[in-house]
Amino acid sequence: MNGTILVFTLVILGGCIAFTIVLASKALYNYFNQNKGLDQNTGFVICPACGTKNKRQRNGQQCKKCYTQF
């Protein structure tokens, strides 16, 4: 009985640790890769190359000043 409870407890703790690592990995990925000036709540987008404000476009983004695709 005690062995069963111990195994069950270890499985739950392992699952919690694995889930925490997965969430931390996703947060770190979003922090490094999705921080490119694309703010979804505004009608303007900041170009990552030159910093110019551009109006949001429907199909892809291209800077009006330096013509960089982003």
Side-chain angles (χ1 to χ4, degrees):
M1 182 69 179
N2 288 338
T4 307
I5 294 172
L6 177 64
V7 168
F8 184 68
T9 305
L10 290 175
V11 167
I12 290 176
L13 286 174
C16 290
I17 291 170
F19 186 66
T20 303
I21 291 171
V22 167
L23 288 181
S25 173
K26 284 184 180 181
L28 192 61
Y29 176 80
N30 286 337
Y31 176 74
F32 283 127
N33 295 316
Q34 308 235 343
N35 207 7
K36 306 229 186 287
L38 293 173
D39 188 4
Q40 298 296 328
N41 296 326
T42 65
F44 292 98
V45 180
I46 298 171
C47 175
C50 66
T52 306
K53 265 189 166 179
N54 295 296
K55 198 170 182 182
R56 186 176 296 280
Q57 301 166 2
R58 288 183 183 211
N59 299 325
Q61 291 290 10
Q62 183 177 9
C63 181
K64 303 277 188 202
K65 185 177 180 184
C66 66
Y67 302 106
T68 304
Q69 299 271 338
F70 59 95

